[in-house]
Amino acid sequence: MSTKKVEGPSAPANRRDPYEVLSVSRDATDQEIKSAYRKLALKYHPDKNANNPEASDLFKEVAFSYSILSDPEKRRQYDNAGFEALDADGMEMEVDLSNLGTVNTMFAALFSKLGVPIKTTVSANVLEEAMNGTVTVRPLPIGTSVSGKVDKQCAHFFGVTISEQQAESGVVVRVTSTAQSKFKLLYFEQDSSGGYGLALQEESEKTGKVTSAGMYFLHFQVYRMDSTVNALAAAKDPESAFFKRLEGLQPCEVSELRAGTHIFAVYGDNFFKTASYTIEALCAKTYEDTTEKLKEIEAQILRKRNDLRQFETEYRKALARFQEVTTRYTQEKQTVDELLKQRDSIHSSFSVVKTPSSSNLSNGSSSKAQGDEPKGDGDSAGEEGGAESRDKSKRKWFNLNIKGSEKKVG
């Protein structure tokens, strides 16, 4: 992924006043600064200004200005002494421009309620329509569900109205797809100008035979799983993938909702076709046991993540030791084999008889003593005589059997 850096104090000296860039007053509230940033980021985003090379510089200037005014400490330092008071290292900011060639794709132009950057691929057109308040919002009463199909890079918006009692009990909004479609569940906060700004997003994940995504506003910290952390760990070191499996847990920025109407959306993320979905809004009051189980399992997973961090250290030490001893085992085995081989060689040296050569043992013949000599004609004649004598004895034995049998017959 390619990134470009917007430099802090090392940038050109003609940097403009952040308040001027965002068109806000010096006593502007955090919400006003955030709202101004979102509008300008959408306005100057290079995806929407492919034929305007100045848009990229303006976009980075807007993002740089927001990075100052959205941070209370940096804003205080700037208000007191200007750019010179800002730390160089602290002001180095990365703006993700990895996919600027893709039309209608929004990257790093939005910030959540807590000022945390959201790198999203939600269509800039959808976000702009939401910010302008021109989207159609369908009602989604608590305790009901709605099914539908949404086109790729489009969104269906829903308004969930909750009472004081329901807000106190907690609310859950979930989306599932039996067709295993890919989608995003989005949560928007009301903007001061009447529009809606993206605050949270959840990617659909495959769970069993469906894909699903959920947001849980239950008055305790819940976590989302960032699967990219696992994928990167597995690609870098397959053995470490298990230990990094829980490192992808990221705390959700919002853990409760106030009474009123809240805007959610289902965004079609399929590459070619529409996304089928069912969205439902639930009050946790009727799921008290399930809520407690979720709270406990979240706590257990966090404890297990800490355990795995410690265990990884122990495992790697043991693995290094195992590799060390297995290497030594191989070396020691080779050494013992060589020593025994040398010992056998030394033992065989204690002999006056030379070790027979392979030629003397060919064709199954046995070795001869040094005094043996080749056989002459006499030896051949002796062998022939012996053969004749054996034949006579066989005939004699054969004839005796016949004579005996004849006597018996007579």
Side-chain angles (χ1 to χ4, degrees), residues 40 78-79 96 110 139 166 199 230 264 266 302 336 338 349 352:
L40 291 172
Y78 176 80
D79 288 343
D96 186 351
L110 302 177
Q166 290 169 337
N230 297 338
F264 296 85
V266 180
L302 286 181
V336 169
E338 182 62 28
S349 298
V352 296

Side-chain angles (χ1 to χ4, degrees), residues 26-40:
R26 286 189 169 269
D27 58 354
T29 64
D30 292 343
Q31 183 60 42
E32 289 173 338
I33 292 172
K34 185 187 300 181
S35 178
Y37 165 74
R38 283 174 168 164
K39 290 180 180 179
L40 291 172

Side-chain angles (χ1 to χ4, degrees), residues 40-56:
L40 291 172
L42 282 169
K43 179 180 179 180
Y44 294 122
H45 196 280
D47 283 355
K48 296 174 64 66
N49 299 272
N51 298 323
N52 182 7
E54 295 180 359
S56 179

